[in-house]
Amino acid sequence: MFSARTYDRASFSARSASSDHRFRFVEARLTTDTAALAEGSQAVCAFVNDDLSDAVLVQLAAAGVRHLALRSAGYNHVDLDTAARLGLSVVRVPAYSPNAVAEHTIALILAVNRHIPRAHDRVRDRNFSLEGLVGFDLSGKTVGVIGTGKIGALVARLLWHFRCNVIAADPVVDPGLVELGVTYVALDDLWPRCDIISLNAPLLDSTHHLVNASTIARCKRGVMMVNTGRGPLVDTAAVVEALKSGQIGSLALDVYEEERTLFFEDRSSDILDDDVFARLLTFPNVLITAHQAFLTEEALAAIAEVTIANLDDLAAGRPCANAVTA
Ligand code: NAI
């Protein structure tokens, strides 16, 4: 298991004892430099920022690896064509806890709107001034949810309970949301109507840089943008310009376009060489968490359970319901 953190060890160790699988936990990210560590393993268990490109898959196959067990729902980081060519089977965890991600999305919206991190810092510093901490009522605001699959549908429901007017864009309509009062609109029509936009679509060719200079220009001035989907849904450079001009009023991110070389590590002693990310950190109206929306006890338990069940299927040569193909 690559990119294995203490919480991964804990959740997998608790469950693997009663299985036929033996895990070797490696803290390093999977890259061409670390792929050789998989020598002697039948399967590699990888997370979102592990490198599963052509070059790495070729190395893994040469080391004898037959299976890739993703601890994630998203598989945009896997070269599926190469995996198929090399006979590597790929399995994933399609839904470990949509609640975890949806609830974190709401936490970000509330926290950036009401300036909670800044307020907490001030109070700790015994600065009890409220200057600059004005937020807005969520009640009555129009929120656009882009992508109403498992996570987006929950985000829409939670926002509905905040008495927001929820509109959605997704080629697949969720009848339960329509029944609740959510209105589906064409993506093109969503931008100008929203006070808040939540990105919950997967990263595909068609969704890459969905938020860009021209779509931002079509938004209401001062819109709040929230991304808990995938970093490249957003053209970050365009977002920085829009924050500077005030076109985007606030921004909350759990994912970042270039997060692969940043997130999941303690970089507090390093010189930050990503100027775009460094600029984002200077805005008082930007809140960033480092891809932690999934991180709940329930989600970790589900990831371990489903991954072990996936490995059971692969080891037994059974078809796996969570197989991913090109
Ligand atoms: P899902 O597959 O259930 O739903 C995705 C929805 O997006 C589908 O309804 C699909 O029709 C829609 N969609 C596809 N293309 C679209 C487009 N061009 N415009 C609007 N909608 C479009 O996936 P789920 O479980 O809801 O997850 C969504 C994404 O959230 C994942 O792909 C992943 O990237 C991200 N995620 C982030 C996590 C985090 O920790 N920040 C954890 C888990 C997932």
Side-chain angles (χ1 to χ4, degrees):
M1 180 185 297
F2 285 89
S3 300
R5 297 293 182 263
T6 49
Y7 45 81
D8 298 307
R9 283 174 189 258
S11 57
F12 274 82
S13 299
R15 286 161 186 84
S16 64
S18 56
S19 81
D20 293 333
H21 313 297
R22 293 293 162 265
F23 286 90
R24 248 180 329 121
F25 299 103
V26 177
E27 205 173 315
R29 195 164 74 81
L30 175 59
T31 65
T32 48
D33 291 333
T34 59
L37 295 170
E39 187 84 46
S41 304
Q42 288 79 54
V44 154
C45 188
F47 198 49
V48 288
N49 286 339
D50 285 314
D51 182 351
L52 293 163
S53 61
D54 176 88
V56 173
L57 296 187
V58 167
Q59 278 180 274
L60 292 179
V65 171
R66 309 301 329 135
H67 311 292
L68 303 176
L70 309 177
R71 307 200 290 289
S72 58
Y75 50 88
N76 53 281
H77 55 310
V78 187
D79 186 330
L80 291 175
D81 292 328
T82 300
R85 179 170 58 77
L86 297 170
L88 289 167
S89 48
V90 183
V91 290
R92 66 177 181 133
V93 185
Y96 33 90
S97 176
N99 288 303
V101 184
E103 289 169 16
H104 191 77
T105 307
I106 302 300
L108 288 177
I109 291 172
L110 293 171
V112 77
N113 175 34
R114 304 302 296 271
H115 312 279
I116 301 297
R118 294 183 71 209
H120 179 63
D121 286 349
R122 280 191 196 180
V123 170
R124 279 214 300 210
D125 206 23
R126 294 175 303 286
N127 171 359
F128 305 114
S129 161
L130 302 182
E131 290 299 328
L133 300 185
V134 179
F136 57 80
D137 286 12
L138 285 186
S139 178
K141 294 297 181 298
T142 298
V143 187
V145 179
I146 301 180
T148 55
K150 291 177 284 297
I151 295 168
L154 284 169
V155 170
R157 281 178 187 279
L158 291 170
L159 289 166
W160 183 84
H161 284 288
F162 278 94
R163 302 179 188 281
C164 294
N165 166 34
V166 184
I167 64 174
D170 191 316
V172 182
V173 170
D174 179 333
L177 290 184
V178 174
E179 205 172 305
L180 197 67
V182 173
T183 310
Y184 277 86
V185 298
L187 184 58
D188 237 20
D189 298 331
L190 180 137
W191 309 106
R193 293 175 58 176
C194 299
D195 302 295
I196 302 173
I197 295 176
S198 176
L199 303 175
N200 299 105
L203 179 60
L204 307 166
D205 286 345
S206 59
T207 58
H208 184 262
H209 283 189
L210 200 70
V211 174
N212 56 51
S214 78
T215 52
I216 293 169
R218 303 205 47 235
C219 290
K220 268 191 196 175
R221 185 162 176 82
V223 66
M224 177 195 292
M225 203 64 83
V226 187
N227 187 9
T228 56
R230 282 288 179 269
L233 296 176
V234 167
D235 178 347
T236 319
V239 163
V240 166
E241 287 310 310
L243 283 161
K244 282 160 69 179
S245 72
Q247 174 64 8
I248 290 182
S250 54
L251 173 74
L253 302 177
D254 185 56
V255 286
Y256 169 60
E257 244 185 312
E258 305 299 335
E259 70 177 49
R260 184 171 276 202
T261 54
L262 287 174
F263 285 6
F264 304 117
E265 305 290 341
D266 178 358
R267 304 209 179 277
S268 51
S269 303
D270 298 352
I271 304 297
L272 188 57
D273 62 2
D274 181 331
D275 290 351
V276 176
F277 193 75
R279 185 67 176 98
L280 278 181
L281 295 179
T282 67
F283 292 101
N285 48 351
V286 172
L287 177 58
I288 304 176
T289 52
H291 209 137
Q292 73 171 77
F294 74 98
L295 196 63
T296 64
E297 295 284 354
E298 291 78 2
L300 291 171
I303 289 170
E305 273 158 27
V306 175
T307 301
I308 289 171
N310 287 345
L311 291 170
D312 287 342
D313 285 341
L314 295 173
R318 289 191 295 263
C320 178
N322 297 325
V324 182
T325 46

